[in-house]
Amino acid sequence: MLGLKRNYIQDDMKRSDILKICALAAPLQACTQEPAHPNIIFFLVDDFGWVDTEVAFGPEDYPQNHRHDTPNFLALSRESAILTNAYACPLSSPTRTSIMTGLNSAHTRITNPLASVRGTDNTCPGEVLETADWNVNGLNPAVPGYEDNVERSFYATPFVRLLRDAGYYTIHVGKAHWATAGTPGSNPYNMGFNVNVAGGVVEFSKCGYRSEDNYGNLAGGRAVPYTVQNMTEYYGSGLHLTQALTREALKTLEYPVQEGKPFYLYMSQYAVHTPIQDDPRFYSKYLERGMDEGQARFASMVEGVDVALGEIRSWLEEKGIADNTVIIIMGDNGGNSENLAKGGVRHTQNKPLREGKGSCYEGGTRVPMIVYWKGHVTPGTMLNTPVICEDLFPTILDIAGVEERPTVQTSDGESLYRLLTDGSAYVAGLHPGSRREAYATVVPESISGLDPQRYIVSHYPHQWKPYPIEDIDYLSSIRSGDWKLVYRMLSRSLELYNLADDIGEQHDVAAEHADIVAVLAKALSERLRNWNAGMPVCKGSGLPVPYPDELAAALCDTTDIAANRDI
Amino acid sequence: MLGLKRNYIQDDMKRSDILKICALAAPLQACTQEPAHPNIIFFLVDDFGWVDTEVAFGPEDYPQNHRHDTPNFLALSRESAILTNAYACPLSSPTRTSIMTGLNSAHTRITNPLASVRGTDNTCPGEVLETADWNVNGLNPAVPGYEDNVERSFYATPFVRLLRDAGYYTIHVGKAHWATAGTPGSNPYNMGFNVNVAGGVVEFSKCGYRSEDNYGNLAGGRAVPYTVQNMTEYYGSGLHLTQALTREALKTLEYPVQEGKPFYLYMSQYAVHTPIQDDPRFYSKYLERGMDEGQARFASMVEGVDVALGEIRSWLEEKGIADNTVIIIMGDNGGNSENLAKGGVRHTQNKPLREGKGSCYEGGTRVPMIVYWKGHVTPGTMLNTPVICEDLFPTILDIAGVEERPTVQTSDGESLYRLLTDGSAYVAGLHPGSRREAYATVVPESISGLDPQRYIVSHYPHQWKPYPIEDIDYLSSIRSGDWKLVYRMLSRSLELYNLADDIGEQHDVAAEHADIVAVLAKALSERLRNWNAGMPVCKGSGLPVPYPDELAAALCDTTDIAANRDI
């Protein structure tokens, strides 16, 4: 039950220090008030690119930030902290299961989007490498009443169960995608949700956003077994799926609000994933602006999500609970730059970032992240410490004030609580003079509890599509501070980028910084080994691809290079 | 919020009278305890025949009562009141919407099972009569946020919303079938449920109970748009749908039990509706007993439902809430005697009752009903007062102790609360010597608040199947006491049966009791007129079929008969 207390003051800080910072910048409320159990809305947008909204997460406000009208995201961001260096996994299920478990996807071995049918490995066969072994059945909950007998599946304690056990009323609306059909993980109830609307196993590329198509529930040859469920009310209504889901979400929120119970709403948008189907409210406007049809369709979908956010915020205001409701915005992976339906020129949609969805380059993993929490997060601040999806597990539990956390796993993620609260207050106090300056400002570990040089690991040991894509398949990466190492497993090469100078990862400086390469390769390898991460297997030798520190050593030793090449 | 008080003592009874009855028969608890807000489980079984279980609802224990092993129904009935003269409508949606509104189906004009697609009239064209106009889009909720703009739909306040508003946690598991897709009524949330599992718009005859078929969610040509939803966890699990739904129901109950909130569970079984697909746990046993395959399949489905009931009861015991949980068992219409898949001989499955599902003869409308409420209902009693599905609206609200009932409609049904509580105590005190004697015992109106001669009206102004069925199509009936009038609209004839002597409706005594025919025809006609009931239309004349009192008058006046025939 709720009633637990959090200890706001960390051991390494004196209360007087906090009060000093508070007096400087943060609303007094944040410093004096006992922790409540705020409502939490996690607003997760599918395939949401880093530059898909008007909110500039970069050191510059890029032209791409002005393609889509997103006044609600922009307004929210001004009242929130913007996390400029937020990472998801390169693909959907890995991110979703990382959030649920607090573990890196290399650790859960859920490294690819899951198929619908149990036991299906939907990675694509490569010519040179065999796909890495991975948990094709996804995440299953380690909870009473279920034995851990689903093969090729990772068992962990979902954080939503901890929220529910602590007295939160937990609501799932939208896309789940944690596990295959025929397993407990496919059912949001087992993950800890009291209520589920539309969450199940969905082959979404075959479904749809159009009420005229019953959101994919059509008779005959067009019918597919895994479609959007629970939405019969809106069939033929003319409402885009994003609108319909928003209405359902608000309906299910009535109960906890009426009962005065804190709620956790996982508002998991199907948009802006393929199929790219226009939201007719906004489509023609973008055509008139000169976009091609694909671009205009996609733009209308993004604006639909923006309006959904606005509707939710209006509702919170009406109910008088906006001030006590935390809103976390995030994308589940980078924007899709591989799909022709989005129009424009492929592999450019996330510029200045390189590549998109599926890739360990920044375009695939760097995502929008905004945290609104009135009185706790200082509005309009930029937080530049790198953060990653597995951080959400401890972060949300901290925000919720849940101290009892019996789990079978130990979180890889770290709580962003102090970064968001004390960190945002600290940044606000610095009054940075320019966006570039603000972007260079880092919250020290003594304030945030987070080492700004902390390692951010991404790992994709598969081929995504039936055809090879050089900047997506078989990549692994690690970031620390401004430095980022990319391990190309197919060519067994290491690249090094300095993101401060080269956010687009255009200038490989590995040859000039062998020492940094070695450090990062070692750090990445240690994590992959400790996590028993899946590695692709060389078809020729039948041996797994070497860890990157085996290559890095080789960079200084030609004998080793030759030895590695024989594998 | 809960905290309302019910007035147990009716105006026409003195408290001393109640205490006398209590002292005689009822547990003291029922007389002295303040009304709590008990949990309520409404266990509705689809196409559940009157003689499908071992519970004998008749004046005799018929051979048909011993076809299926139903120890859990039997055990429950011994701790409950058995309502021997309980009526549903002849078909599914009419009953389900009557329960939800407290109105007779002739009043809602929802007189046929609904199609899935909005606006579809799925009654079948007859040769002589046009189908009656009816509300093809079913029931929609008259609630804030929705205008009453769905055409051919009845708007009313669903009782589940009143339960929820009074503080009940309301859970829907299974079949809904109140409205077509594209209307708010198709969504259990709008009807007042906090939680919905598997309730939507289902064309169930095309779906299934088998996990191997994903309960109907199959790819390719076999896929249908309206299938059982939210059950991905169980795909391929080997669990019959009845088992899987039971597990889901128990999961969703954890929350209100943990929170100490009263719950209403609408456990709406898809079974034992077609398709008749065996529950493999029990199938071979029935084959070994000499049943044909259809009979054995059906028997196994019935036993599956029986086991589901047992599992729910065990769970209630484990949680320590069995004594504070009311269980209401009911069928949504008579057993299906028209479907070849059930095996045996058609039109005999409900014997001694005439016909089955679809019919206004007893086989179509008389259904099992059992009410368990420890300490309030005297165990093992037979209550013979005729009751009908629309009575559930006020009954459940009375049991729940909900006094605030803002509704747009005025209930046609009457509360069974006093019949169940005081009535069962009264009957228990009589110690009837035999089943027949017990069956003839009627609770006086002064005890139950219900006139034992109250009118029970059924109305089916359509042709059900593509081919005509004489004892199903275009029938209307009214019962009072032992007398039952059947109006055959196609032949414009009236039949009269005395159910005390002739439960099988084999001996039409209309000619011998013209006075009773006239009284009943008048009573039926008054109701049909007041409710603006849909009447079939003669194709020849374009005029609606006459009301039965127009015919009854004609029985005494040949001029009028001729006049009627011209219509």
Side-chain angles (χ1 to χ4, degrees):
Chain A
M1 299 299 297
L2 290 176
L4 308 164
K5 311 252 187 226
R6 288 195 72 261
N7 181 8
Y8 264 87
I9 304 173
Q10 305 293 326
D11 291 345
D12 55 347
M13 284 191 80
K14 290 182 199 147
R15 185 161 181 86
S16 60
D17 292 343
I18 295 186
L19 287 173
K20 211 179 319 174
I21 296 161
C22 288
L24 202 67
L28 189 62
Q29 192 183 12
C31 303
T32 56
Q33 205 170 264
E34 275 299 294
H37 303 289
N39 308 310
I40 301 170
I41 297 178
F42 191 173
F43 192 94
L44 186 66
V45 185
D46 202 302
D47 289 358
F48 199 31
W50 195 61
V51 286
D52 278 346
T53 71
E54 293 179 271
V55 181
F57 292 90
E60 295 170 29
D61 192 353
Y62 300 102
Q64 283 83 343
N65 285 121
H66 300 280
R67 290 173 295 178
H68 312 137
D69 293 344
T70 57
N72 291 293
F73 281 112
L74 200 55
L76 184 75
S77 74
R78 287 176 179 146
E79 301 170 50
S80 308
I82 298 174
L83 290 104
T84 60
N85 285 259
Y87 289 88
C89 303
L91 288 155
S92 169
S93 300
T95 296
R96 290 160 195 272
T97 49
S98 279
I99 291 168
M100 201 54 114
T101 60
L103 301 179
N104 190 278
S105 65
H107 190 171
T108 61
R109 294 172 75 102
I110 304 168
T111 38
N112 203 59
L114 301 162
S116 303
V117 177
R118 183 165 169 170
T120 305
D121 184 346
N122 59 358
T123 60
C124 295
E127 285 193 13
V128 178
L129 298 178
E130 300 266 15
T131 196
D133 184 41
W134 66 292
N135 281 320
V136 300
N137 290 316
L139 173 66
N140 274 286
V143 296
Y146 286 100
E147 290 182 38
D148 52 346
N149 55 7
V150 176
E151 71 289 354
R152 299 184 75 180
S153 167
F154 193 87
Y155 276 83
T157 309
F159 83 88
V160 180
R161 287 191 82 102
L162 305 178
L163 281 179
R164 189 176 63 185
D165 290 347
Y168 268 77
Y169 193 76
T170 52
I171 299 169
H172 183 283
V173 178
K175 181 175 179 175
H177 212 198
W178 303 297
T180 52
T183 74
S186 69
N187 186 343
Y189 285 100
N190 298 326
M191 292 302 191
F193 287 98
N194 290 116
V195 169
N196 168 36
V197 179
V201 173
V202 172
E203 286 183 17
F204 203 64
S205 59
K206 298 176 190 162
C207 305
Y209 294 96
R210 294 189 184 119
S211 68
E212 311 88 275
D213 299 339
N214 297 353
Y215 310 117
N217 295 273
L218 280 172
R222 292 181 64 195
V224 292
Y226 302 101
T227 52
V228 180
Q229 306 197 326
N230 303 130
M231 303 305 283
T232 54
E233 177 177 352
Y234 304 97
Y235 290 5
S237 64
L239 297 191
H240 201 262
L241 180 59
T242 303
Q243 290 176 277
L245 287 172
T246 305
R247 294 196 184 183
E248 286 305 284
L250 297 183
K251 256 183 227 173
T252 62
L253 285 178
E254 290 282 354
Y255 178 76
V257 172
Q258 173 192 304
E259 295 288 312
K261 290 192 78 72
F263 62 77
Y264 172 69
L265 168 65
Y266 182 53
M267 179 69 253
S268 178
Q269 297 289 351
Y270 282 105
V272 292
H273 196 287
T274 53
I276 307 302
Q277 293 176 334
D278 63 281
D279 189 323
R281 293 174 293 172
F282 315 113
Y283 177 56
S284 53
K285 174 175 77 176
Y286 291 102
L287 284 179
E288 286 160 16
R289 289 188 193 170
M291 286 188 178
D292 68 31
E293 288 183 6
Q295 288 171 320
R297 281 193 197 100
F298 183 73
S300 75
M301 288 171 75
V302 172
E303 188 165 348
V305 172
D306 181 81
V307 168
L309 174 64
E311 286 169 353
I312 290 172
R313 295 198 72 200
S314 297
W315 187 90
L316 295 171
E317 291 287 349
E318 275 168 36
K319 298 288 175 185
I321 55 172
D323 291 357
N324 192 36
T325 301
V326 180
I327 302 175
I328 302 170
I329 308 283
M330 196 179 179
D332 75 333
N333 47 242
N336 192 336
S337 65
E338 176 60 23
N339 192 284
L340 290 169
K342 281 178 77 174
V345 179
R346 273 204 292 180
H347 311 300
T348 68
Q349 283 94 340
N350 303 303
K351 278 201 177 286
L353 306 186
R354 180 164 170 179
E355 254 306 327
K357 179 179 182 179
S359 177
C360 290
Y361 289 108
E362 297 286 293
T365 55
R366 202 153 170 167
V367 292
M369 189 168 176
I370 300 168
V371 179
Y372 169 87
W373 189 9
K374 186 149 181 179
H376 297 259
V377 168
T378 310
T381 45
M382 289 173 83
L383 297 173
N384 304 312
T385 305
V387 304
I388 185 164
C389 46
E390 53 259 37
D391 295 334
L392 272 300
F393 185 114
T395 303
I396 291 176
L397 292 174
D398 277 357
I399 290 172
V402 176
E403 281 193 336
E404 292 290 328
R405 302 182 189 181
T407 58
V408 300
Q409 76 275 23
T410 305
S411 177
D412 296 326
E414 295 182 84
S415 176
L416 311 179
Y417 183 88
R418 286 176 60 197
L419 177 67
L420 292 167
T421 54
D422 302 344
S424 67
Y426 168 86
V427 167
L430 295 181
H431 301 295
S434 72
R435 171 170 279 271
R436 282 217 158 261
E437 194 181 315
Y439 202 80
T441 300
V442 174
V443 180
E445 187 169 4
S446 59
I447 301 287
S448 69
L450 289 174
D451 178 0
Q453 308 291 317
R454 65 198 296 248
Y455 291 114
I456 300 292
V457 172
S458 305
H459 187 58
Y460 187 63
H462 311 291
Q463 179 174 319
W464 186 32
K465 297 281 182 185
Y467 48 89
I469 312 173
E470 199 182 349
D471 279 0
I472 289 182
D473 305 330
Y474 308 114
L475 299 182
S476 201
S477 72
I478 188 166
R479 175 180 170 178
S480 175
D482 292 332
W483 294 104
K484 180 170 169 190
L485 182 82
V486 177
Y487 177 27
R488 303 184 74 107
M489 292 181 265
L490 185 61
S491 61
R492 298 193 199 172
S493 57
L494 294 168
E495 298 170 352
L496 184 71
Y497 300 97
N498 186 309
L499 297 176
D501 305 329
D502 179 22
I503 201 169
E505 296 165 289
Q506 297 298 312
H507 308 290
D508 174 10
V509 292
E512 298 147 45
H513 298 282
D515 50 342
I516 295 171
V517 169
V519 169
L520 291 178
K522 183 163 179 289
L524 175 58
S525 302
E526 279 173 359
R527 280 157 183 74
L528 296 178
R529 285 192 191 98
N530 286 341
W531 293 334
N532 188 27
M535 299 296 283
V537 170
C538 306
K539 285 189 167 178
S541 66
L543 292 172
V545 159
Y547 290 110
D549 60 355
E550 293 162 354
L551 290 185
L555 287 176
C556 311
D557 183 338
T558 48
T559 321
D560 281 355
I561 292 175
N564 274 326
R565 279 189 186 143
D566 288 340
I567 292 172
Chain B
M1 300 299 297
L2 289 178
L4 307 166
K5 310 253 186 227
R6 287 194 71 261
N7 181 10
Y8 263 86
I9 304 173
Q10 304 293 324
D11 292 344
D12 54 348
M13 283 192 81
K14 290 182 197 146
R15 183 161 183 87
S16 60
D17 293 342
I18 295 187
L19 288 173
K20 211 179 315 174
I21 297 161
C22 289
L24 200 67
L28 189 62
Q29 192 184 10
C31 303
T32 57
Q33 205 171 264
E34 276 297 295
H37 303 289
N39 307 311
I40 301 171
I41 297 178
F42 191 171
F43 192 95
L44 186 66
V45 185
D46 202 302
D47 288 0
F48 199 30
W50 196 61
V51 286
D52 278 346
T53 72
E54 294 180 89
V55 182
F57 292 91
E60 294 169 31
D61 192 354
Y62 300 102
Q64 282 85 343
N65 286 121
H66 300 280
R67 291 172 296 179
H68 312 136
D69 294 343
T70 57
N72 291 294
F73 281 112
L74 200 56
L76 183 75
S77 74
R78 288 177 179 144
E79 302 171 50
S80 308
I82 298 174
L83 290 104
T84 60
N85 286 260
Y87 289 88
C89 304
L91 288 156
S92 169
S93 300
T95 297
R96 290 161 195 273
T97 49
S98 279
I99 291 168
M100 201 53 114
T101 59
L103 301 179
N104 190 279
S105 65
H107 191 170
T108 62
R109 294 171 76 103
I110 304 167
T111 37
N112 202 61
L114 300 161
S116 303
V117 177
R118 182 166 169 169
T120 305
D121 184 345
N122 59 358
T123 59
C124 295
E127 286 193 10
V128 177
L129 298 178
E130 300 268 15
T131 197
D133 185 41
W134 66 291
N135 281 320
V136 301
N137 289 316
L139 173 66
N140 274 285
V143 297
Y146 287 99
E147 289 182 39
D148 52 346
N149 55 6
V150 176
E151 71 289 355
R152 298 185 75 180
S153 167
F154 193 87
Y155 276 83
T157 310
F159 82 88
V160 180
R161 286 191 83 101
L162 304 179
L163 282 178
R164 188 176 64 185
D165 289 347
Y168 269 77
Y169 193 77
T170 52
I171 299 169
H172 182 284
V173 178
K175 180 176 179 175
H177 212 197
W178 302 297
T180 52
T183 75
S186 69
N187 186 344
Y189 286 100
N190 299 327
M191 292 302 191
F193 288 97
N194 291 116
V195 169
N196 167 38
V197 179
V201 173
V202 171
E203 285 181 18
F204 203 65
S205 59
K206 297 177 190 163
C207 307
Y209 294 96
R210 294 189 184 119
S211 68
E212 310 89 277
D213 299 339
N214 297 354
Y215 310 116
N217 295 273
L218 280 172
R222 293 180 64 194
V224 293
Y226 302 101
T227 51
V228 179
Q229 305 197 327
N230 303 131
M231 303 306 283
T232 54
E233 177 178 352
Y234 304 97
Y235 290 5
S237 64
L239 297 191
H240 201 262
L241 180 59
T242 304
Q243 289 177 276
L245 288 173
T246 305
R247 294 196 184 183
E248 286 305 285
L250 297 183
K251 255 182 227 172
T252 62
L253 285 178
E254 290 282 354
Y255 178 76
V257 171
Q258 173 193 303
E259 296 288 310
K261 290 192 77 72
F263 63 76
Y264 173 69
L265 169 64
Y266 182 52
M267 178 69 253
S268 177
Q269 298 289 350
Y270 281 105
V272 291
H273 197 287
T274 52
I276 307 301
Q277 293 177 334
D278 63 280
D279 189 323
R281 293 174 293 172
F282 315 113
Y283 177 55
S284 53
K285 175 174 76 175
Y286 291 102
L287 283 179
E288 286 160 16
R289 288 188 193 170
M291 286 188 179
D292 67 31
E293 288 182 6
Q295 288 171 321
R297 281 193 197 100
F298 183 73
S300 74
M301 288 171 75
V302 173
E303 188 165 346
V305 172
D306 181 81
V307 168
L309 174 64
E311 286 169 353
I312 290 171
R313 293 198 72 198
S314 298
W315 187 90
L316 295 172
E317 290 288 350
E318 274 168 35
K319 298 287 174 185
I321 56 172
D323 291 356
N324 192 37
T325 302
V326 180
I327 302 175
I328 302 170
I329 307 283
M330 198 179 177
D332 76 331
N333 47 241
N336 191 337
S337 65
E338 175 61 22
N339 193 283
L340 290 169
K342 279 178 78 174
V345 178
R346 273 204 293 179
H347 311 301
T348 68
Q349 282 94 338
N350 302 304
K351 277 202 177 286
L353 306 185
R354 181 164 170 179
E355 253 307 327
K357 178 180 182 178
S359 177
C360 290
Y361 290 107
E362 296 285 293
T365 55
R366 203 154 168 167
V367 291
M369 189 169 175
I370 300 169
V371 178
Y372 169 86
W373 191 8
K374 187 150 181 178
H376 296 259
V377 167
T378 310
T381 45
M382 289 172 83
L383 297 173
N384 304 312
T385 306
V387 304
I388 186 162
C389 47
E390 53 258 38
D391 296 334
L392 271 302
F393 185 114
T395 302
I396 291 176
L397 292 174
D398 276 358
I399 290 172
V402 176
E403 281 193 335
E404 292 290 327
R405 303 182 190 182
T407 57
V408 300
Q409 76 275 23
T410 305
S411 177
D412 296 326
E414 294 182 84
S415 175
L416 311 179
Y417 183 88
R418 285 176 61 198
L419 176 68
L420 292 166
T421 54
D422 303 343
S424 68
Y426 168 86
V427 167
L430 294 181
H431 300 296
S434 71
R435 172 170 279 272
R436 280 215 160 263
E437 194 179 313
Y439 202 79
T441 300
V442 173
V443 180
E445 188 171 2
S446 60
I447 302 289
S448 69
L450 289 174
D451 178 359
Q453 309 292 316
R454 65 197 295 249
Y455 292 113
I456 300 291
V457 172
S458 305
H459 187 59
Y460 187 64
H462 310 292
Q463 178 174 319
W464 187 30
K465 298 281 183 185
Y467 47 89
I469 312 172
E470 200 181 349
D471 280 0
I472 288 181
D473 305 331
Y474 307 113
L475 300 182
S476 203
S477 72
I478 188 166
R479 176 180 171 178
S480 175
D482 293 332
W483 295 105
K484 179 170 168 190
L485 183 82
V486 176
Y487 176 28
R488 303 184 73 107
M489 292 181 265
L490 185 61
S491 61
R492 298 192 199 174
S493 56
L494 294 167
E495 298 169 353
L496 185 71
Y497 300 99
N498 186 309
L499 297 176
D501 306 328
D502 179 22
I503 200 169
E505 296 166 289
Q506 297 299 312
H507 308 290
D508 174 11
V509 292
E512 298 147 44
H513 297 283
D515 51 342
I516 296 170
V517 168
V519 168
L520 291 177
K522 182 163 180 288
L524 175 57
S525 302
E526 280 173 0
R527 280 158 183 74
L528 296 178
R529 283 191 191 99
N530 286 341
W531 293 334
N532 189 27
M535 300 296 284
V537 170
C538 306
K539 285 190 166 176
S541 67
L543 292 173
V545 159
Y547 290 110
D549 60 354
E550 292 162 355
L551 290 185
L555 286 176
C556 313
D557 183 338
T558 49
T559 321
D560 281 358
I561 292 175
N564 274 326
R565 282 192 183 140
D566 287 342
I567 291 170

